[in-house]
Amino acid sequence: MTVLDSRALNRTTLARQHLLTRSDTSVPEAVAHLCGLQAQEPQEPFIGLWSRLSDFKPQQLDDALTNRTVVRTHLMRRTVHLVTSDDALAWRARHDTMLRQRVLGTYRRELAGIDLDEVAAAGRTVMADQQPRTMRELVQAVEERWPGPPRRVLGELLVAALIPMAQLPPRGLWQQRAGVRNLPLTTWLRRDIDPLPDGDGDPVGQQLLRRYLAAYGPAASVDLRAWCGLAGLPAAVKAAREELVVFRDERGRELLDLPDAPRPHPDTPAPVRFLPAFDNAILGYHDRSRIIDAPHLGLSVAGHRTVLVDGRVTATWTVRNHQLDISPLRPLTALEQEAVHAEAQDLTTFLDEDIEHIQLDTKTDDHALHVPT
């Protein structure tokens, strides 16, 4: 059985994530290919798409959100994601149990003794007038029947688990600050959520498996579970196994993949890429060693924006006081500094935040390289 080392997995991940070469695909097609983008920080998906798509313009994502081709909703891991409307409707029912379990797991004591189906029915009745509501407004409409739980707990239960909701624009539009207004997915998208099909083999789980491997493979079943939050999809993996190919990583783990998916040569050059907070390429795995070193794993869940150099997380970056600050995690060579600065200049143009300077800490002495844009 072929063993794929960390560099081989790295280049494959970059290729599947459109980070090896920018793609000319459309925004909805890219969101679909990536199986959604994590989006609890509303502006971050714009950076993720800029790093992946040729000539990406923020208006393209704005248009996809306002014309309802792409939607913001709680889905994988009970986290807000940007997903295509088709995927939101096709995948939501398969995630329902997980979403409930995750809210209950977090607030088991506060929600003890509450009938979740009754709460869901009450929330749907309130939302039946098709008027967008904040979480607070929805809670205020039902809290007399359930005065026990804190408002925040009851609100998260309703909007993140019990009622499939869309977060409406202007939330998530480019350079706009807007609170969350919720509307049921079926109302916003004017279509019903797909029911779970009958039969063995978990057909929706099989679709999730194939789509995940297309964007993240080769990967282990535990990686699949870490990405979607579902319990490993064992029936789906069993049903689809005969059509998949199998590799091993250097630790001996079994990695599944689609037979015809791209697997570039490990020596393929990897360009510098600036990633947003909570990027798919990092958070899409249980074992993130293919893209980030063990000492820096905390960056992946702490909301740090990162920089890929030679395909690996090598720096963090922030924008403050009209300056783009880049903090390497290891010393950069002169050529690497040049490549990072070149990509940073393009990023400052894209961000359009009146950034006047790029400051790159060289990590080789006590002073920073300060370069005007």
Side-chain angles (χ1 to χ4, degrees):
M1 189 176 297
T2 303
V3 175
L4 300 177
D5 63 18
S6 179
R7 189 174 177 88
L9 291 173
N10 174 268
R11 292 310 193 256
T12 298
T13 293
L14 298 180
R16 308 281 176 96
Q17 287 284 311
H18 296 329
L19 292 168
L20 203 56
T21 303
R22 282 185 167 95
S23 171
D24 59 2
T25 190
S26 71
V27 165
E29 289 170 340
V31 173
H33 170 74
L34 296 168
C35 305
L37 289 85
Q38 196 158 330
Q40 69 266 42
E41 296 293 337
Q43 296 300 299
E44 300 305 294
F46 290 92
I47 301 164
L49 290 171
W50 173 79
S51 288
R52 289 170 164 90
L53 300 183
S54 303
D55 198 31
F56 169 69
K57 300 293 189 298
Q59 187 63 45
Q60 295 169 325
L61 180 53
D62 282 0
D63 290 344
L65 283 163
T66 55
N67 69 23
R68 313 185 195 204
T69 307
V70 168
V71 64
R72 293 174 52 86
T73 189
H74 287 87
L75 202 59
M76 284 74 77
R77 306 185 306 280
R78 197 171 69 88
T79 304
V80 177
H81 276 73
L82 277 182
V83 294
T84 66
S85 299
D86 288 343
D87 286 344
L89 297 172
W91 295 350
R92 173 59 201 228
R94 186 63 181 83
H95 286 74
D96 276 347
T97 299
M98 178 273 292
L99 293 169
R100 288 189 176 209
Q101 289 174 342
R102 291 212 166 193
V103 174
L104 285 176
T106 303
Y107 302 115
R108 190 167 302 279
R109 179 177 57 83
E110 293 89 340
L111 295 172
I114 289 180
D115 187 316
L116 300 188
D117 291 334
E118 288 185 6
V119 177
R124 290 192 183 95
T125 298
V126 172
M127 300 302 298
D129 62 4
Q130 302 187 7
Q131 295 302 306
R133 286 178 172 82
T134 66
M135 185 170 74
R136 181 177 181 179
E137 290 168 342
L138 178 56
V139 170
Q140 287 175 338
V142 302
E143 65 180 341
E144 286 188 4
R145 291 182 58 183
W146 294 279
R151 286 183 171 183
R152 179 72 189 181
V153 174
L154 192 58
E156 285 193 31
L157 177 66
L158 283 163
V159 305
L162 298 184
I163 305 175
M165 291 285 199
Q167 295 187 356
L168 305 192
R171 181 73 169 179
L173 298 184
W174 177 241
Q175 295 182 341
Q176 294 202 32
R177 297 182 181 275
V180 177
R181 297 179 309 127
N182 302 287
L183 199 64
L185 269 176
T186 54
T187 303
W188 176 243
L189 299 181
R190 306 186 186 100
R191 288 186 285 161
D192 291 336
I193 290 172
D194 295 352
L196 286 176
D198 296 328
D200 299 330
D202 188 4
V204 178
Q206 289 186 55
Q207 184 191 69
L208 286 166
L209 169 64
R210 295 184 186 97
R211 294 278 298 280
Y212 172 76
L213 292 177
Y216 296 86
S221 58
V222 68
D223 294 317
L224 172 65
R225 178 174 183 170
W227 165 71
C228 64
L230 302 174
L233 304 176
V237 171
K238 181 179 179 180
R241 180 174 286 275
E242 289 189 1
E243 67 185 65
L244 304 177
V245 293
V246 179
F247 301 95
R248 297 279 181 188
D249 65 12
E250 293 174 299
R251 293 160 45 196
R253 298 191 317 154
E254 180 183 77
L255 305 178
L256 305 174
D257 203 9
L258 302 174
D260 298 325
R263 288 180 285 275
H265 192 280
D267 292 335
T268 303
V272 169
R273 291 289 186 256
F274 281 73
L275 298 185
F278 310 114
D279 191 81
N280 296 40
I282 301 174
L283 293 186
Y285 304 93
H286 177 264
D287 179 5
R288 298 167 184 166
S289 62
R290 67 179 68 194
I291 199 166
I292 186 168
D293 295 332
H296 307 136
L297 280 174
L299 298 175
S300 62
V301 294
H304 291 275
R305 293 165 163 177
T306 59
V307 185
L308 300 183
V309 179
D310 192 26
R312 300 193 65 81
V313 172
T314 306
T316 61
W317 66 279
T318 59
V319 175
R320 55 193 171 199
N321 301 323
H322 303 288
Q323 182 167 285
L324 174 60
D325 291 312
I326 305 167
S327 302
L329 302 171
R330 63 163 174 81
L332 301 178
T333 68
L335 287 176
E336 288 173 337
Q337 289 182 45
E338 183 180 346
V340 168
H341 183 258
E343 186 75 357
Q345 284 187 307
D346 290 344
L347 176 64
T348 61
T349 301
F350 170 75
L351 291 176
D352 190 24
E353 295 180 11
D354 297 322
I355 297 171
E356 299 171 355
H357 298 283
I358 297 170
Q359 180 159 306
L360 173 60
D361 185 349
T362 65
K363 280 289 185 181
T364 56
D365 52 32
D366 293 333
H367 71 274
L369 178 65
H370 190 260
V371 188
T373 57

